[in-house]
Amino acid sequence: MPTPTPLISAEQIRTRVGELAAALAQRIPDGEPLHLVGVLKGGFMFLADLVRALPRPATVDFARLASYGSGTTSSGAVQLVTAPHPVRGRHVVIVEDIVDTGLTLERLRQHLLADQPQSLTTVALLSKPGRASEVPIELVGFTLEDDRFVVGYGLDLDQQHRQLPYIGVLDPS
Ligand code: PRP
């Protein structure tokens, strides 16, 4: 199996996650806890680091979504496979590893908003360029310059490479 070429180092990720955690805490009134909802599977590592960097009490939950369509075409339908627990009245933070089309994020946002949280914020470690959808993302770690497929730090190709501490690209073969 080829080793991905590093694009964003573990050190760069650590620094940026610290900045995101500080910015996130500033958005929520002092003394009020945050409720993080991680998007599985890709978001598990980002959430684990983000919650440890947060200078505030936080609770943690997860959601799992699946999009339909194959290859480069998407039907636009995203199914909520595992719903998060109710969030009414909470300061909810969606923790996404990467936003590509934005359909996954939009589906989860609508689900959570229907439950009337006190606030809803999205933090995404990575954002791809050229997205058609207007889904709001309050905090972004890194914006990728092109449409290259990235792996590592939770992100996979056929379930491989999630364990890498950095984000890398696979050389075209
Ligand atoms: C990936 C990624 C995001 C989503 C973004 O998850 O982790 O959750 O796709 O895509 P979108 O913005 O185009 O909707 P994936 O469905 O590959 O599942 P995984 O996290 O379990 O690998």
Side-chain angles (χ1 to χ4, degrees):
M1 188 188 310
T3 302
T5 304
L7 181 68
I8 304 172
S9 71
E11 185 58 35
Q12 287 175 293
I13 294 171
R14 189 161 35 247
T15 299
R16 191 70 183 120
V17 168
E19 293 169 354
L20 291 171
L24 192 53
Q26 282 193 343
R27 299 180 65 92
I28 309 299
D30 274 348
E32 299 186 25
L34 286 72
H35 182 67
L36 308 187
V37 178
V39 182
L40 293 173
K41 298 180 191 175
F44 80 96
M45 200 175 285
F46 178 38
L47 185 143
D49 284 345
L50 187 71
V51 74
R52 282 180 286 185
L54 264 181
R56 297 275 292 277
T59 51
V60 169
D61 195 11
F62 292 94
R64 185 140 190 225
L65 299 99
S67 50
Y68 290 107
S70 60
T72 56
T73 58
S74 168
S75 67
V78 178
Q79 186 192 4
L80 192 56
V81 178
T82 305
H85 291 88
V87 297
R88 183 177 300 258
R90 293 179 166 195
H91 291 290
V92 177
V93 180
I94 296 175
V95 182
E96 256 283 30
D97 49 321
I98 186 166
V99 180
D100 184 0
T101 64
L103 294 171
T104 301
L105 176 58
E106 189 53 46
R107 176 74 177 87
L108 182 57
R109 283 187 84 254
Q110 294 311 322
H111 176 85
L112 292 167
L113 285 170
D115 204 21
Q116 299 181 341
Q118 178 81 17
S119 67
L120 182 59
T121 304
T122 294
V123 55
L125 182 65
L126 300 167
S127 176
K128 280 199 166 187
R131 184 163 44 255
S133 102
E134 293 291 320
V135 65
I137 310 173
E138 284 74 19
L139 295 168
V140 172
F142 302 93
T143 300
L144 298 174
E145 289 173 8
D146 55 36
D147 201 22
R148 270 187 298 179
F149 196 87
V150 291
V151 297
Y153 198 70
L155 291 140
D156 76 306
L157 175 62
D158 294 336
Q159 302 304 321
Q160 302 301 311
H161 306 299
R162 292 194 199 273
Q163 84 286 353
L164 294 173
Y166 62 89
I167 291 162
V169 290
L170 288 163
D171 295 328
S173 53

